[in-house]
Each structure stands twice: as C-alpha cells, then as structure tokens.
Amino acid sequence: FDAYAQIISLIKQAKRSIILIDNYISTDTLTMLSNRSASVSATIYTRQLSPQQQLDLQRHNQQYPPVAVNFCQRNHDRFLIIDDAVYIFGASLKDAGKKLFAYIRMQGTSPTELLSNIR
C-alpha cells in the first residue's frame, strides 16, 4: 500500500500535466490517475488496448477528467512525467505494492527529449 500511496502523492503534485509511458495498464492505472486535479491533463503512451481496456477507458472518461491514450511501439521501460519531472519505474504502475520495485527521478532528462524518442 505504501508504494501505491506514494505514487498517488506524486500524481497529486501535478500542476499541469501527467504523462505515463507504460505498456501494461489496467483499471488500477486509471484509478491512480483519477486522483489528479481536474485541471491537470493526463496522457498514456502504451502499446495497445484490449477491447476491455478500451471500454474501461471510455467509462473512466465519462466520469472523470479524460485520459488521452496514444500508441507507441518504441518503449520498454516505464516512465511517469509529472509536469517537468521525469521518473523511471522498474514495474508498471498497476503493480505498485504487489512486489518490490523501485522508481527514480531522472536528472538531466527533459520530457520533450524523452517523448521525442518514443513518438
């Protein structure tokens, strides 16, 4: 639970935008993102969405500020960008607290630079 709560705390700190790069998302991911302020945009970059995930996203977006989804094939690691801060995660956000994993704030990496490599 501590890992989950810590990630929620990061999400709540966002002032402008949240970008998640993660090939493995679930309703847990959407639940985490629903903790952001209504004025904060959210975008997920992922490999694909199953029909069930598309339905989950549609239902989430009907009730909460929408989460945009873009598809990319060029990423392996998971990243969370909160405004101008870039974090790298050892596991998918959906798995926070299930097993031991770490995340680190990356120094010297701009969100623009990172996103230009996956688009």
Side-chain angles (χ1 to χ4, degrees):
F1 178 77
D2 290 344
Y4 179 86
Q6 207 167 25
I7 294 168
I8 296 296
S9 177
L10 284 175
I11 288 169
K12 287 181 176 182
Q13 291 174 23
K15 303 276 189 264
R16 297 182 318 276
S17 67
I18 297 171
I19 300 171
L20 173 63
I21 303 165
D22 191 338
N23 284 336
Y24 303 99
I25 63 167
S26 71
T27 55
D28 292 337
T29 311
L30 297 173
T31 299
M32 290 175 147
L33 292 174
S34 70
N35 284 278
R36 73 190 194 280
S37 296
S39 62
V40 173
S41 67
T43 304
I44 296 173
Y45 287 84
T46 192
R47 184 169 310 206
Q48 64 185 13
L49 291 179
S50 69
Q52 182 61 55
Q53 289 171 318
Q54 290 175 6
L55 182 58
D56 293 343
L57 178 67
Q58 178 185 2
R59 288 180 176 165
H60 171 276
N61 288 350
Q62 288 173 345
Q63 184 171 349
Y64 296 99
V67 173
V69 174
N70 294 315
F71 299 102
C72 63
Q73 304 294 319
R74 298 184 60 188
N75 62 301
H76 177 270
D77 294 330
R78 297 135 191 107
F79 299 91
L80 180 64
I81 302 170
I82 304 288
D83 298 328
D84 295 321
V86 178
Y87 299 86
I88 185 167
F89 280 75
S92 293
L93 264 64
K94 71 176 184 61
D95 295 325
K98 294 179 182 174
K99 293 183 180 179
L100 180 64
F101 75 92
Y103 70 93
I104 299 168
R105 183 171 178 177
M106 297 176 65
Q107 301 297 322
T109 301
S110 75
T112 305
E113 178 186 355
L114 179 63
L115 291 171
S116 71
N117 286 315
I118 66 161
R119 290 184 180 154

